[in-house]
Amino acid sequence: MKKYRLTDQRTVLGILSKLASTTLTDPLSQKKYQVANPITVNDILKSVHFTLVSEEPLTDKPSSLVCVLKENRVELKVKLANPYLEDLFQVTEALIEPLERSSKRAAIDSITTHKIQTAATVDIGTIISLYGKTSLINQILNQWQVHLEQLLTNYGYFIKRVNIGFFYAADTPLMEALAASKAPYYLRDSNRRIFYTENAFFSPKKLNDQYVKAILDNHLLNNIKSALIVPFFSTSKVLLGYFEVLSNLPDLGNAALQDEISGPQGIGPLLAFLDARAEEFVFQLEFAYAKDWIQIADLGMIRDISQDGAGIGIYIQDRQSIETKTLGSPISFQIEINSQPYTFYGSLRSIKLAGNESENNSIGIQIFQCDKGEGIPLLASYASTLIGKEVT
């Protein structure tokens, strides 16, 4: 196994706690840092935050921090947690890579995948523009609207309704403006006429005052106190549609948004959560129309696996079978778990071609679904157990 990809909140916190007295390096700038005060945050993403300590002023904002321990190389993928606090960072992923001199190897090295197939990427935007909301698309829309309403309600938001729309049918000045700006829109309180316009959010000042008043009056008439609209994109990064989250209460009925909107449980984690759900939603749309599956390999060895079972790397022997494939394409593969075949479906995220004979070709896949409901939880459970044995 090449790398352990750690995403579980408690595991990441444990790693940061062990790195408290260790110097880490930004691989781009080569500047040295230390991590301090790692804490778990009970936000919608279950984040881990820490204070970045440097002997010099924090002029750079590293996206990666690396250190080498006795047996492992550790890399923290990080980002700024709060735009108003320059030293508060969030860990998005921790990667642990056993060093070559380490004899301890995980049993995943012997696990193979079978029937690795890809399909051409489908242009959902063109399909919708030509045919509108087909019965298949409407079915997925209805399922996802209910799914998002339940998820947000479970995480402490008071949601009246979630709408999912497409910008091809934009027929209001607001939607046309959001399509042009590609920015999220957040009405915090329609009664008090409060909008959120920081951090690249859309400002209603770009619209006619009378039109904005009409929007607010219409919301009040329908007992809508707050509204969040987040655009989403196709796998080829073309603007496709939007999630519209509506609530009968100000700030979507969430205390963190009301009290500290830019804080660790505020609008940032909510947007990241919706962006991740949008990525999965777009995959479901594209996967529903995928056809003409082509096998690129009958057999592949697993390179690495993420702790949540949502990402996997596979070694592919034949370079020609993958070098012309398009990133974002639907991909499927099989793994035998407990002597049962499970077919996983996802999106092609990366292609790494061997530079010499000592290296291997490989692909990275983000997994979104399995033909059996327990497939991804089983993969996550296996990965978490395996990683726990090796890194604790």
Side-chain angles (χ1 to χ4, degrees):
M1 179 170 176
K2 187 179 179 183
K3 292 179 182 177
Y4 307 105
R5 297 181 177 273
L6 310 174
T7 52
D8 176 71
Q9 189 183 47
R10 292 178 61 184
T11 306
V12 173
L13 178 66
I15 291 171
L16 260 66
S17 299
K18 292 178 182 179
L19 296 177
S21 59
T22 303
T23 298
L24 296 97
T25 304
D26 177 355
L28 293 179
S29 68
Q30 297 301 310
K31 290 186 177 180
K32 308 295 183 183
Y33 301 95
Q34 287 190 319
V35 300
N37 308 319
I39 60 169
T40 58
V41 181
N42 190 28
D43 62 12
I44 198 167
L45 298 175
K46 300 297 180 185
S47 305
V48 177
H49 290 182
F50 68 91
T51 302
L52 188 66
V53 180
S54 173
E55 295 181 356
E56 304 174 10
L58 284 172
T59 54
D60 294 333
K61 301 296 182 288
S63 60
S64 177
L65 298 171
V66 176
C67 69
V68 177
L69 304 179
K70 184 179 179 180
E71 292 186 342
N72 298 308
R73 176 183 182 272
V74 179
E75 181 177 0
L76 302 176
K77 300 289 187 180
V78 301
K79 67 177 183 178
L80 205 61
N82 187 326
Y84 302 105
L85 297 175
E86 64 176 16
D87 61 348
L88 183 65
F89 280 75
Q90 172 187 338
V91 181
T92 58
E93 185 180 50
L95 293 86
I96 294 185
E97 184 175 7
L99 300 176
E100 292 301 321
R101 64 175 179 269
S102 173
S103 60
K104 200 172 188 180
R105 290 295 180 185
I108 199 169
D109 281 331
S110 62
I111 294 182
T112 58
T113 61
H114 303 272
K115 297 180 180 178
I116 306 164
Q117 300 180 323
T118 63
T121 303
V122 178
D123 187 350
I124 290 296
T126 298
I127 291 174
I128 293 172
S129 297
L130 290 175
Y131 306 109
K133 294 180 183 178
T134 65
S135 58
L136 184 57
I137 289 174
N138 270 325
Q139 181 182 345
I140 297 173
L141 281 177
N142 293 334
Q143 291 172 347
W144 267 85
Q145 285 172 192
V146 174
H147 178 58
L148 286 173
E149 288 167 6
Q150 292 175 342
L151 282 176
L152 291 170
T153 299
N154 292 341
Y155 281 113
Y157 296 86
F158 190 88
I159 305 303
K160 179 179 182 180
R161 186 170 66 254
V162 171
N163 297 320
I164 303 177
F166 298 100
F167 280 118
Y168 87 95
D171 58 357
T172 68
L174 174 60
M175 288 303 174
E176 290 172 356
L178 294 181
S181 65
K182 301 180 182 180
Y185 161 96
Y186 185 26
L187 168 62
R188 298 185 61 182
D189 189 337
S190 59
N191 190 45
R192 298 170 61 191
R193 302 174 183 267
I194 298 175
F195 291 86
Y196 182 71
T197 56
E198 303 291 333
N199 301 318
F201 272 72
F202 180 81
S203 173
K205 292 181 179 178
K206 298 177 181 179
L207 299 171
N208 180 280
D209 289 343
Q210 191 172 2
Y211 176 68
V212 174
K213 182 180 182 301
I215 292 176
L216 296 172
D217 290 345
N218 185 61
H219 281 325
L220 291 173
L221 186 64
N222 291 284
N223 196 27
I224 300 296
K225 297 296 193 301
S226 54
L228 173 66
I229 302 175
V230 181
F232 60 78
F233 303 81
S234 69
T235 52
S236 55
K237 307 306 178 186
V238 175
L239 183 68
L240 192 58
Y242 58 88
F243 291 157
E244 182 181 35
V245 184
L246 304 173
S247 175
N248 295 133
L249 297 176
D251 288 302
L252 304 181
N254 183 272
L257 288 179
Q258 181 177 3
D259 298 335
E260 195 178 4
I261 189 171
S262 296
Q265 299 181 59
I267 196 69
L270 176 58
L271 279 188
F273 175 81
L274 289 174
D275 284 342
R277 300 289 77 74
E279 196 172 27
E280 186 177 354
F281 168 71
V282 171
F283 168 79
Q284 296 290 350
L285 291 175
E286 296 183 346
F287 178 71
Y289 281 93
K291 59 181 180 179
D292 299 329
W293 290 82
I294 300 173
Q295 184 161 302
I296 59 173
D298 183 54
L299 193 68
M301 299 293 293
I302 292 183
R303 181 193 70 196
D304 55 36
I305 188 171
S306 64
Q307 190 175 14
D308 57 3
I312 197 166
I314 302 174
Y315 289 120
I316 302 293
Q317 187 172 11
D318 183 11
R319 176 190 179 106
Q320 292 182 340
S321 68
I322 60 173
E323 63 183 354
T324 60
K325 300 305 176 188
T326 303
L327 296 183
S329 299
I331 190 164
S332 70
F333 59 92
Q334 282 189 358
I335 299 178
E336 279 200 5
I337 303 176
N338 300 328
S339 301
Q340 292 290 323
Y342 286 76
T343 302
F344 295 90
Y345 301 94
S347 178
L348 181 62
R349 286 313 163 99
S350 64
I351 299 173
K352 184 177 181 181
L353 301 175
N356 53 61
E357 293 183 358
S358 64
E359 296 180 356
N360 294 296
N361 306 301
S362 65
I363 56 175
I365 301 169
Q366 182 163 357
I367 300 170
F368 289 112
Q369 67 183 56
C370 179
D371 65 338
K372 298 181 178 67
E374 72 277 15
I376 293 178
L378 274 174
L379 199 59
S381 176
Y382 172 75
S384 191
T385 301
L386 178 70
I387 288 168
K389 291 178 181 178
E390 298 295 324
V391 303
T392 55

